[in-house]
Amino acid sequence: MTSEGLPYPKRWSVIVVGGGHAGCEAALACARAGLDTLLVTQNVDRIGWMSCNPAIGGVGKTHLVAEIDALGGEMARVTDQAGVHYKLLNGSKGPAVRALRVQCDKLAYATAMRGVVEGQAHLDVKQGDVRRLVLDGRRVAGVDTVQGLRFEADAVVVTAGTFLGAVCHTGEAQAAGGRAGDAASHGLGEQLRAAGVTTLRHKTGTCPRVDLRSIAWEGLAADPGLQPPPPLHRGGPAPGLPQMECRVTFTTARTHDLILANLHRSPLYGGAITGAGPRYCPSVEDKVVRFAGHDRHHVFLEREGWSTREVYLNGLSTSLPADVQVAMVRSLPGLEAAEIVRFGYAVEYDAVDARELGPDFALRALDGLWLAGQVNGTSGYEEAAGQGLWAALHIIARLQGLTPPGLTRANSYLGVMADDLVTHGAAEPYRMFTARAEHRLRLRPGNADLRLRAEGRRLGLVDTRQWEAFEARRERLDAAQAWLADQVARPDTETVAWLTMAGGVGLDKPVVLDTLLCRPELNWPDLAGRVPAWLWPGEGGTARDLDDDDRDEVRTRIRYRGYVQREDARSARARNLDTVALPVDLDFGGLGTLTAEAVAALTRVRPTTLGQASRVAGVTAAAVQALWFAVEGVRRRAG
């Protein structure tokens, strides 16, 4: 073991490097499970900071937040403390793909998250810049800081975000930094590469921020939020801050001409940036080039909080030079006199090829080291937070001798994301979408607690109050569903008249209530105040106790029942493959039946199950069969 840092007098079970969204969830989870935890971050004022857009949620992303919440994480609770504009996305589609998006007061969010972190038992916070990992052979034993201190622990989680080898670009201007105003980190990336870890170059960007007083605000179209705003945190209080107005404008032909005329000054098109950018959150330069047939693109004006006049121009991410940004912003309707407070920029940084990680996000090259967040090649606060929690849950299980978390592709978006990353890597910043989940009919935000809360309780993250509230909800839902399956609506005069009035539903023979609720015309939550006596049990009955959210969950269970059964039948084989473990020392090249492509791909990923192997690019059905025969041969020899 090297001796470059002065050992600190206290030792921890877990050290988390980085205080962003991944780091906060990782540190809080480990501490809530009773592990002495240290969070080391460059700047404690930046804990939980929203570096880019001031929002949480979105399609696929809200699903991750709901699962973090169900497992005992913090993101949803803090969002409700800071939320100022709630919007439902995909409201006209099915419950499996609907999602809340919550614009936040970014200072309120960071302040609330910092308060939670600093108030958490078993969690210490220190400001420091980690420059290297402390190695004992191939085992990570702690970290050294530039301040000359050494912190030691049994497990280290690196959540370096966009800071490894990071460079910020604004036109021709470049500056080292993980984001504007914050220094880059160089030692960790170099040390990982020296250990044989493959890194990639990724790029992300942000939008200009404009002074509210310089915008013709009232003349722009309104983008209204939900009233009253529904809490993102399951069972939580109503959002506490006053709600804000948002406005909408759009790019013009003048905007596009300015961008095209200055593409040679863009680091993205001029060759200064080599990293892959996020496909699903492109810069405005990318949008104008890639979608040349579009004569305009929407720009959403989102205020960054009640304590600032800054307005975030969502949809105008750019790294063009500052003078071009001024002209570009002023080409937007309503922003002809706009004053930019902060210019947009791109940040290029190192990410680790996630195929270097095990399924628990532990780095295979170095024992005792986990990676989480954008350093694994992802984009987005929600993906980062989910990875921080994922790594923490596995560390908790390992250090406390518990069964590993039972999260898979079949029961969680967290499982989908983790499997996608370690199986396929991320050649470009990874973003979660509902389309990535083959079991998405089951994986709804509304039932995240029913799927995952028991796991959070087992691992020590869900307290008694939360658990008792969950058990009460689960009992209400199950009892209501059983009651609906046992009751019959008969075609008497009163019932037929009510059904005709409520939704134009005809009834010519007795029908079980849960079958009746499959009718698309009958929207139970919307009809709550007008339901006739036969739909409710007597005093103290379970259906009477349901709120709109619970009624929607029961109705969705009923309506999705047939689809889920068909999905289960289709995916049974895949689930069976995921239960077949591959030997950790299996020599893929020695099997003699695999193609060179399959051997190279399997050796790189080192899948732990036959199911994961089947999802590796380059692995054919014949290769899966060969692996199956190899596993059976190992079993026979062992037996």
Side-chain angles (χ1 to χ4, degrees), residues 364-412:
R364 290 197 298 267
L366 296 172
D367 187 34
L369 178 64
W370 282 257
L371 304 179
Q374 282 187 265
V375 70
N376 286 343
T378 61
S379 67
Y381 308 144
E382 304 84 357
E383 289 88 346
Q387 290 173 74
L389 184 59
W390 181 274
L393 294 175
H394 286 85
I395 291 170
I396 292 164
R398 180 183 294 193
L399 296 186
Q400 296 187 344
L402 303 173
T403 303
L407 276 62
T408 67
R409 296 187 70 94
N411 67 13
S412 65

Side-chain angles (χ1 to χ4, degrees), residues 299-321:
V299 178
F300 296 89
L301 279 63
E302 302 173 342
R303 291 186 59 184
E304 295 217 318
W306 287 109
S307 61
T308 178
R309 295 189 180 96
E310 287 184 82
V311 176
Y312 182 87
L313 304 186
N314 189 350
L316 210 71
S317 175
T318 184
S319 58
L320 285 164

Side-chain angles (χ1 to χ4, degrees), residues 57 81 167 230 241 248 289 296 447 490 492 546 613:
Q81 293 179 55
V167 177
L241 291 182
V248 183
V289 172
R296 69 179 194 175
N447 69 0
R490 303 186 183 282
D492 55 59
L546 301 185

Side-chain angles (χ1 to χ4, degrees), residues 454-472:
E455 195 68 354
R457 176 68 170 175
R458 181 180 73 85
L459 293 169
L461 276 63
V462 174
D463 62 30
T464 299
R465 180 190 60 80
Q466 293 172 306
W467 180 250
E468 290 176 348
F470 161 70
E471 285 192 309

Side-chain angles (χ1 to χ4, degrees), residues 97 225 291 532:
V97 296
F291 307 109

